[in-house]
Amino acid sequence: MSVLSFIRHGVAALAASLVLGGAALAQSGPLVSTEWLEKNLSDPKVRIVEVSVEPGIYERGHIPGAQNIAWHTDLVETVSRDIAGPEKFQALARKLGVDKDVTVVLYGDNNNWFAAWGAWVFDIYGLRDNVKLLDGGRKKWELEKRPVATNPVPVKASSFTVGEPNKALRARLTDVVASVEKKSDARILDIRSPDEFSGKIIAPAGFQELALRAGHIPGSVNVPWARAVNQADGTLKSPEELKELYAEVGIDGSKPVITSCRIGERSSHTWFILTRVLGYQAANYDGSWTEYGNVVGLPISNPAGTVWGGK
């Protein structure tokens, strides 16, 4: 090949990559931008899935082509308080047209809390590298006045086959107790607000899932989830900023981490950051404070001294 031909070939390859746009970019990292997503709304190999908590928010307006997940019914077993079982998740993934050869973009309200929960469950069942979060979620999409739709668009069902659940991504009460008793070197990262962590309040106002005790798991450290995002648009801070943020409390990737909050939704947001953005080993404790704080006899730390008064 002549030098001129080589240059022409290189230019053509570069042009082709530019035409593909964000498709290649979407495969290389855990986040996609609002700009990338708008450019790829009609890509048949992209599935957009909203996982929000506010009732009716999807119906009032969603990203065009997005499918909807009700996290409290679709992603959980409602009676046993467990994540969706393999059969239930497989049926959901097929209905959404999700498979391993499709780029799945999850987004939602509340700074992607429940979208991150979705990413966690998807990861447990074998969908990892092709599952992305929309950086900034609904908040950024709406701030930028990007297009919205009100009519759901049907998609072709997939033939996705669920894998063996990856239990390493999920922390159970026994794992947490092992850390408390120093039988494990896992660090517990509590991402609730300082007032929840100290025991000044049991839960934020208006939330129904409660523990009878206030405080935190002994030995845990506190980095509120909100410190990891840019408040203006809900996007995540840079990897360098995030590493520095968690290093302040000794979380640097050298030891496994258990993320915890109240019911596991906010902690899944931090789990996503630690595992997908920073590459740390972490498991999400979805039992969180509503489980640990309600178990009779387990030790707690309650600096504020707040106790349940009853009625």
Side-chain angles (χ1 to χ4, degrees), residues 3 20 33 35 66 74 91 111 126 168-169 173 220 236 240 247 266 306:
V3 174
L20 286 173
S33 67
E35 180 182 13
D74 292 331
N111 287 99
L169 302 180
L173 180 62
S220 60
L236 296 185
E240 292 74 21
R266 287 174 289 176
T306 303

Side-chain angles (χ1 to χ4, degrees), residues 88-254:
K88 183 173 183 176
F89 180 80
Q90 178 174 280
L92 175 65
R94 289 181 174 182
K95 177 184 176 183
L96 296 171
V98 166
D99 215 332
K100 293 183 178 181
D101 64 344
V102 172
T103 296
V104 183
V105 180
L106 302 176
Y107 79 97
D109 59 4
N110 282 33
N111 287 99
N112 278 337
W113 286 358
F114 294 93
W117 171 284
W120 174 63
V121 176
F122 276 49
D123 198 339
I124 287 174
Y125 286 119
L127 291 164
R128 180 178 175 83
D129 292 337
N130 60 315
V131 174
K132 321 289 180 180
L133 282 187
L134 175 64
D135 200 12
R138 279 192 71 106
K139 181 176 182 178
K140 191 169 192 290
W141 189 271
E142 292 172 348
L143 282 172
E144 295 170 345
K145 301 187 184 306
R146 296 188 183 272
V148 296
T150 54
N151 296 322
V153 177
V155 295
K156 181 181 178 181
S158 74
S159 56
F160 171 74
T161 300
V162 73
E164 188 69 23
N166 185 351
K167 296 180 180 180
L169 302 180
R170 189 182 191 193
R172 308 307 291 263
L173 180 62
T174 52
D175 302 312
V176 174
V177 172
S179 176
V180 172
E181 296 178 345
K182 302 190 185 306
K183 296 176 181 177
S184 161
D185 62 354
R187 301 292 309 281
I188 301 174
L189 176 58
D190 190 319
I191 61 74
R192 294 175 300 162
S193 68
D195 282 350
E196 290 173 272
F197 186 75
S198 69
K200 184 177 180 180
I201 61 174
I202 293 179
F207 287 87
Q208 61 181 344
E209 303 93 347
L210 302 175
L212 294 181
R213 300 186 292 176
H216 61 262
I217 300 167
S220 60
V221 293
N222 183 223
V223 179
W225 72 270
R227 293 186 63 194
V229 303
N230 297 303
Q231 296 304 308
D233 61 6
T235 55
L236 296 185
K237 293 181 177 179
S238 71
E240 292 74 21
E241 292 174 303
L242 293 169
K243 284 183 179 180
E244 183 177 348
L245 173 65
Y246 298 115
E248 291 175 1
V249 294
I251 302 295
D252 59 7
S254 62

